[in-house]
Amino acid sequence: MHRREAAGRRGAAVLVALLLAGAVSGQPAGAQTAAPRPKDDPSVIREWVQKVSATVDPEDELTAPEEAVWHAYVTVAMYNAVVGIEGRYAPYRWRARAPHGASAQAAAATAAYQVLLTGFPKAGPALEKAWKASLANVPDGPAERSGVAFGKRAAKHIMTLRANDGRDASVPFTPRPAPGVWRPTPPDHEGFTTAWIGRLRPFLMDTPSRFRPGPPPGLTSARYARDLAEVKAYGARTGSRRSARQTETAVFVARVEIQQALGDHAARHSFDITDTARLYAATNTVMTDALIAAWDAKLHYARWRPITAIREADTDGNPATRADPTWEPLLPTPAHPDYLSGHATWSGALMRTLEGLFGTSRVDLNISSVGTAATRHYEYAEDYNRDVIDARVWAGIHTRTADVVGNAVGERVAAWSLRRYFLHA
């Protein structure tokens, strides 16, 4: 009896060892275990995001808001393609699910390819080459085929949702000339050609008027006089009170590589394909809606730019302002009204979105600038928002009120949107 018990214990020990070593599968002898589908590479999301700018604006002629719309189209299509396979988060205005085992990598690449091809058929050969290169990283077979098919469905769904959404529509903007009212600015005196952004159908919010702030300070108010005095003193091209660091910040912020910064963060923090897709889709749709809200305010209030306000200060009825007919800003004034600052609005939306996605104000972003060819590290959201608000004043193109209020509106748009979209399934 003693010998049988000992033998039994030895047999059990051997069985446990075999199980731990993987030698016992629990399947009949000779059975084959199906090889697991290779893990989807999240770099496909980052790569196709970078292709958006090259496709949409190869000659670098569009303004940032005009390009932003296409980033929203592409990233939300990739998001739907990925979460329709991987789950975890609720799709954007869609309930479709892919067949079991479909490749999210193939689906994401196909969704981006199809959206861009729909909008830019002349770029077809280059896009097809990039798409095939993406698929070359996915093993041939049913997973790839199912992913491609689902990616096409995701792209078609987004472009159907966005049909006739007002992109590039003609939106007349002819406010009656008066003190405080916007008019084309030097040196090119361009009209408000991007007015359509303020009438674009939002991606997330129900209506931009929900976030429309109160009016800017009255022309005869003390606050207006303070705003104008600050931008006049710190935003002048020559003879300003700016420090060298403030000048650098003004130029740095003017053109930043936000998509690249998001991809860098996702890679350094080892985001998988699902979280990478969500990061890009959430930030780009929220930022685009924030721009819509900013442009809605621009259309509604039509506030003149600092260059006009300073040169024509003798017409504003405020005894605390003084006209300077030769005043020039550090940077060229964009061709749209002052209030709200689009840049400050979308930066507030971006940072509030990241705080919501990360669950912390520590955003840890490496942001590069086209204007200065430098990279700055922003550890916290408030640091970047502060630089943007200051920079637009120091550039001479916005009043501080337009920046501060815009930043707050962007944060409101983001908070409202994240309570409704991109949630855990």
Side-chain angles (χ1 to χ4, degrees):
M1 184 67 176
H2 179 73
R3 286 193 296 271
R4 286 197 299 269
E5 289 177 352
R9 291 193 186 98
R10 285 196 297 272
V14 171
L15 178 59
V16 170
L18 289 171
L19 286 169
L20 291 174
V24 176
S25 65
Q27 295 184 350
Q32 297 292 319
T33 302
R37 179 167 63 83
K39 188 175 182 180
D40 291 294
D41 186 352
S43 67
V44 69
I45 305 290
R46 302 193 298 269
E47 290 167 0
W48 277 95
V49 168
Q50 293 304 315
K51 288 179 175 62
V52 175
S53 295
T55 303
V56 173
D57 190 21
E59 302 300 324
D60 196 25
E61 296 174 340
L62 297 182
T63 63
E66 291 174 293
E67 185 178 311
V69 177
W70 283 99
H71 278 291
Y73 291 158
V74 170
T75 57
V76 80
M78 288 197 290
Y79 170 80
N80 272 357
V82 170
V83 300
I85 294 171
E86 300 293 330
R88 194 184 310 164
Y89 302 111
Y92 169 79
R93 297 184 179 181
W94 205 29
R95 295 184 178 180
R97 296 289 304 199
H100 178 72
S103 166
Q105 195 171 333
T110 302
Y113 165 55
Q114 291 293 322
V115 169
L116 290 172
L117 185 63
T118 299
F120 304 91
K122 291 184 179 180
L127 289 170
E128 183 179 14
K129 182 179 179 180
W131 175 61
K132 289 182 176 178
S134 293
L135 293 187
N137 296 320
V138 180
D140 294 337
E144 179 191 52
R145 291 192 295 271
S146 295
V148 167
F150 193 67
K152 289 180 180 179
R153 289 177 61 193
K156 183 178 180 180
H157 177 72
I158 291 302
M159 297 315 290
T160 299
L161 279 179
R162 300 305 303 180
N164 303 313
D165 63 1
R167 176 171 46 85
D168 294 327
S170 176
V171 176
F173 183 70
T174 55
R176 182 174 299 176
V181 176
W182 182 84
R183 73 287 311 268
T185 54
D188 298 326
H189 297 278
E190 295 180 22
F192 190 6
T193 58
T194 61
W196 59 268
I197 295 169
R199 298 292 178 261
L200 186 71
R201 188 187 335 128
F203 285 81
L204 309 172
M205 57 187 178
D206 48 2
T207 173
S209 62
R210 172 186 292 276
F211 302 96
R212 186 184 295 163
L219 297 185
T220 59
S221 68
R223 185 177 179 183
Y224 174 82
R226 288 195 301 271
D227 273 353
L228 205 61
E230 181 185 25
V231 71
K232 183 178 181 181
Y234 287 88
R237 181 181 297 177
T238 58
S240 81
R241 298 180 184 176
R242 284 187 316 272
S243 67
R245 177 67 174 179
Q246 289 170 337
T247 299
E248 181 187 352
T249 298
V251 179
F252 177 92
V253 165
R255 291 190 63 188
V256 288
E257 299 281 6
I258 294 300
Q259 306 299 328
Q260 185 181 79
L262 295 174
D264 172 73
H265 179 99
R268 286 188 292 108
H269 290 266
S270 302
F271 281 22
D272 64 12
I273 193 169
T274 309
D275 282 322
T276 301
R278 183 190 186 219
L279 173 65
Y280 276 114
T283 53
N284 280 292
T285 53
V286 172
M287 284 194 297
T288 301
D289 271 17
L291 288 169
I292 294 171
W295 259 244
D296 169 78
K298 289 176 185 289
L299 287 168
H300 185 75
Y301 292 114
R303 174 54 62 96
W304 61 5
R305 284 280 187 162
I307 187 172
T308 311
I310 292 169
R311 290 184 175 190
E312 300 184 21
D314 55 348
T315 69
D316 62 22
N318 193 321
T321 64
R322 294 288 184 273
D324 182 350
T326 63
W327 188 88
E328 295 280 350
L330 173 66
L331 299 181
T333 300
H336 39 79
D338 174 55
Y339 187 86
L340 297 170
S341 162
H343 215 96
T345 305
W346 71 248
S347 71
L350 168 65
M351 291 299 144
R352 180 63 183 82
T353 300
L354 296 180
E355 288 179 317
L357 297 181
F358 300 164
T360 175
S361 62
R362 183 178 178 271
V363 294
D364 184 25
L365 288 182
N366 294 318
I367 299 180
S368 298
S369 169
V370 176
T372 65
T375 298
R376 292 187 181 184
H377 179 75
Y378 289 94
E379 190 71 9
Y380 293 96
E382 63 183 18
D383 298 332
Y384 184 68
N385 280 330
R386 182 178 57 250
D387 269 5
V388 171
I389 289 170
D390 288 340
R392 306 313 269 173
V393 176
W394 297 335
I397 58 179
H398 276 300
T399 58
R400 182 165 295 276
T401 295
D403 295 335
V404 171
V405 177
N407 199 252
V409 167
E411 290 186 344
R412 288 176 54 211
V413 171
W416 187 93
S417 299
L418 291 183
R419 289 195 296 268
R420 293 162 175 81
Y421 294 93
F422 310 108
L423 303 172
H424 284 273

